[in-house]
Amino acid sequence: MDTLSTNRAFGGTQGVYSHASTATGTDMTFSVFVPPHEPGAKLPVVWYLSGLTCTHANVTDKGEYRRACTELGLMLVAPDTSPRGDGVPDDPEGSYDFGLGAGFYVDATRAPFDQHYRMWTYVTEELPALVADRFPVDMARQGIMGHSMGGHGALTIGLRHPDRFRAVSAFAPIVAPSQVPWGRKALGGYLGDDAAAWRRHDAVALIEDGARVPALLVDQGAADQFLVEQLQPERLAKACADAGIDLTLRLQPGYDHSYYFISSFMADHLRWHAERLD
Amino acid sequence: MDTLSTNRAFGGTQGVYSHASTATGTDMTFSVFVPPHEPGAKLPVVWYLSGLTCTHANVTDKGEYRRACTELGLMLVAPDTSPRGDGVPDDPEGSYDFGLGAGFYVDATRAPFDQHYRMWTYVTEELPALVADRFPVDMARQGIMGHSMGGHGALTIGLRHPDRFRAVSAFAPIVAPSQVPWGRKALGGYLGDDAAAWRRHDAVALIEDGARVPALLVDQGAADQFLVEQLQPERLAKACADAGIDLTLRLQPGYDHSYYFISSFMADHLRWHAERLD
């Protein structure tokens, strides 16, 4: 693991790191904020998964999580959203919603993407092992959150690892990728027409198929330009109601899909995680 | 005035605007955060002046001021750092510390810079008039802060307008530009060898020459790479001690010159301003 930068911030350390990933076959960059802590302490950690077009840098620059992480004693880890580099295939049409910056937190099974686009394994296995090895983290106290495509990632990973993540939340998540254009393009492109695989990467389908978490917190901007076509939080509301999952879904008037929205509610989410990671 | 963007954030509105400036003879871009407020209310305002290489965008993205502004009921205005556009001369050598992004908050008197580089008039006269006209601001309650070159701007503008600004603070300011490489290059390049003009744009010299403010708050990172060569806060400490100005100078261990440093102490500064703008 190479340290690309470290900066003192809010009494802790904001670092950016790179390592050669065996999951993706590329170098991968991620950021970690470590709040001030006693020597030898092991800290609870929140994973933040980013949305389309983002890298670790968007939330690191604009997420405004460090004050709350310091106050609450939380680490925050932000991975990249796809493999990158020489030999990594992009969308042939160069669109923003497939390929680079759009890994969708799945392990691709379709060529040519199956060689490098293995973000599920990267985020659920390889990076946690690295973080556990190199940072002062208590892996018994983990939460996961994300934005948009990363909200999809947080929900699906949280639902499939109920014993690992004590808290799951999302900002403007893609809750039912099988049903919306972004998701159908990504799941089709990475997984082909394997209907069972699609359901394992669709939060609403996972709940319909029996996956459970105790509670979910979701914030959604009411002025989000992607609300109706891509996000459709009412599908999550219905699935949670049917399944008896305690969903707190807050429609925030006037807010859009940007980091202005995310940063406004970041501290709320981190407090919600901290309460569950005590 | 054209509205380039508005986004809901922390219950208020973060806007970015552009207008044709008569002071600089160019279009100028600036950002304004307006916190939630009662209809008809007039709000205190804090001006934030940015450092070398920056535009309005750096602090808007990374300054983490909106939560505190909302809690305290403060507007925050962030101008650009120089004129830009066709016909605006840059440093012939293209360096980062003169010309574009480096206006140093002076009205240049040397050709070819005297035509457009009129940031003193822009920041002290033209933009305040525009803001007073277009935003819900109480111009009897103004504070000013800045970073590095913008800390220099905040200190010199504050010292020369003691009746206008009730609060003045800075992050890692250039306190004595006449004495350090960044400042000597800029003041010489924009003002020539006019020693009296240099003193009017040098916070330490202004204090030596009798300028006064009731109090100053300055945070300085102890690990700032520019501390010894360019910033030299001990010069400000001596001038304030000699003049009886109540300077709070905090040397912050481990912090560098970046927005990780600024954002860590932004809320402290805004609270300090709010106390004085009541």
Side-chain angles (χ1 to χ4, degrees):
Chain A
M1 184 178 86
D2 295 324
T3 300
L4 303 184
S5 64
T6 60
N7 298 82
R8 180 70 58 93
F10 290 97
T13 301
Q14 178 64 63
V16 180
Y17 307 91
S18 175
H19 68 121
S21 163
T22 55
T24 67
T26 66
D27 286 344
M28 292 293 289
T29 301
F30 62 100
S31 81
V32 179
F33 180 67
V34 179
H37 58 281
E38 297 296 319
K42 296 289 191 183
L43 305 170
V45 59
V46 176
W47 297 81
Y48 178 92
L49 302 184
S50 296
L52 290 166
T53 78
C54 290
T55 69
H56 73 282
N58 303 71
V59 72
T60 306
D61 286 349
K62 300 192 282 192
E64 304 197 19
Y65 55 81
R66 282 174 287 268
R67 175 177 300 280
C69 281
T70 286
E71 291 172 358
L72 300 165
L74 297 174
M75 271 181 49
L76 189 141
V77 181
D80 202 348
T81 54
S82 78
R84 300 178 194 272
D86 292 345
V88 176
D90 195 4
D91 183 17
E93 296 172 10
S95 63
Y96 74 96
D97 58 0
F98 190 80
L100 298 180
F104 254 82
Y105 305 101
V106 302
D107 286 346
T109 52
R110 275 190 75 204
F113 303 103
D114 54 342
Q115 188 184 354
H116 296 293
Y117 284 79
R118 298 179 54 79
M119 290 300 292
W120 180 269
T121 295
Y122 177 71
V123 167
T124 64
E125 295 180 20
E126 185 177 20
L127 188 57
L130 182 69
V131 166
D133 188 49
R134 301 298 186 96
F135 293 89
V137 62
D138 177 0
M139 298 297 274
R141 291 188 289 163
Q142 296 186 65
I144 190 164
M145 60 163 66
H147 171 233
S148 195
M149 176 185 75
H152 147 73
L155 293 173
T156 54
I157 291 172
L159 284 160
R160 287 173 59 183
H161 298 84
D163 295 335
R164 184 189 302 184
F165 297 104
R166 292 200 212 164
V168 182
S169 77
F171 304 95
I174 304 169
V175 302
S178 310
Q179 310 294 331
V180 300
W182 278 343
R184 296 183 66 82
K185 178 175 180 178
L187 298 182
Y190 295 129
L191 303 175
D193 58 3
D194 178 347
W198 283 40
R199 292 190 74 80
R200 286 194 298 273
H201 290 285
D202 180 307
V204 165
L206 281 166
I207 294 169
E208 291 171 352
D209 293 345
R212 295 291 181 268
V213 289
L216 292 172
L217 172 62
V218 173
D219 273 310
Q220 172 63 57
D224 187 324
Q225 63 177 311
F226 303 113
L227 175 57
V228 173
E229 186 178 12
Q230 305 284 5
L231 303 176
Q232 305 181 358
E234 66 278 7
R235 292 182 184 271
L236 182 66
K238 180 176 188 308
C240 287
D242 291 348
I245 293 174
D246 178 13
L247 168 68
T248 301
L249 172 60
R250 309 191 302 189
L251 201 62
Q252 301 287 2
Y255 286 88
D256 59 26
H257 200 66
S258 71
Y259 271 89
Y260 294 111
F261 158 65
I262 299 168
S263 60
S264 295
F265 301 102
M266 177 62 81
D268 280 5
H269 281 241
L270 290 169
R271 275 191 294 271
W272 195 84
H273 282 256
E275 289 168 6
R276 287 159 181 77
L277 300 178
D278 255 357
Chain B
M1 185 179 86
D2 294 325
T3 299
L4 303 184
S5 64
T6 59
N7 298 83
R8 180 71 55 95
F10 291 96
T13 302
Q14 179 64 63
V16 179
Y17 308 91
S18 175
H19 68 122
S21 164
T22 55
T24 67
T26 65
D27 286 344
M28 293 293 289
T29 302
F30 62 100
S31 80
V32 179
F33 179 69
V34 179
H37 59 281
E38 296 296 318
K42 297 289 191 182
L43 305 170
V45 60
V46 176
W47 298 80
Y48 178 92
L49 303 185
S50 296
L52 290 167
T53 76
C54 290
T55 69
H56 72 283
N58 303 70
V59 72
T60 307
D61 286 350
K62 299 191 283 191
E64 303 197 19
Y65 55 81
R66 282 175 287 268
R67 176 178 298 281
C69 282
T70 286
E71 291 173 356
L72 300 165
L74 297 174
M75 270 181 48
L76 189 141
V77 182
D80 202 349
T81 53
S82 78
R84 300 176 194 272
D86 291 345
V88 176
D90 195 4
D91 183 17
E93 296 172 10
S95 63
Y96 75 96
D97 57 1
F98 190 81
L100 298 180
F104 253 82
Y105 306 102
V106 302
D107 286 346
T109 52
R110 275 189 75 202
F113 303 103
D114 54 343
Q115 189 184 353
H116 296 293
Y117 284 80
R118 298 179 54 79
M119 290 300 292
W120 179 269
T121 295
Y122 177 70
V123 168
T124 64
E125 295 180 19
E126 185 176 19
L127 188 57
L130 182 69
V131 167
D133 188 50
R134 302 297 186 96
F135 294 89
V137 63
D138 178 0
M139 297 299 273
R141 291 188 290 163
Q142 297 185 63
I144 190 165
M145 61 164 67
H147 171 233
S148 194
M149 175 184 76
H152 147 73
L155 292 173
T156 55
I157 291 171
L159 284 161
R160 288 173 57 183
H161 298 84
D163 296 335
R164 184 189 301 185
F165 297 104
R166 291 199 212 165
V168 183
S169 76
F171 304 95
I174 303 170
V175 302
S178 309
Q179 311 294 331
V180 301
W182 277 344
R184 296 183 65 83
K185 178 174 180 178
L187 297 183
Y190 295 129
L191 304 175
D193 57 5
D194 180 346
W198 283 41
R199 292 191 74 79
R200 288 194 298 272
H201 290 286
D202 180 307
V204 165
L206 283 166
I207 294 170
E208 290 172 352
D209 293 346
R212 294 291 180 269
V213 289
L216 293 171
L217 172 62
V218 173
D219 274 309
Q220 171 63 58
D224 187 324
Q225 63 177 310
F226 302 113
L227 175 57
V228 173
E229 186 178 12
Q230 306 283 4
L231 304 176
Q232 305 181 358
E234 65 279 7
R235 292 181 184 272
L236 183 66
K238 178 175 188 311
C240 287
D242 292 347
I245 293 174
D246 178 14
L247 167 68
T248 301
L249 172 60
R250 308 191 302 190
L251 201 63
Q252 301 287 3
Y255 285 87
D256 58 27
H257 200 66
S258 71
Y259 272 88
Y260 293 110
F261 158 65
I262 298 167
S263 60
S264 296
F265 300 101
M266 177 62 82
D268 281 5
H269 281 240
L270 290 169
R271 275 192 294 271
W272 195 84
H273 282 255
E275 289 168 6
R276 286 157 181 78
L277 299 178
D278 254 357

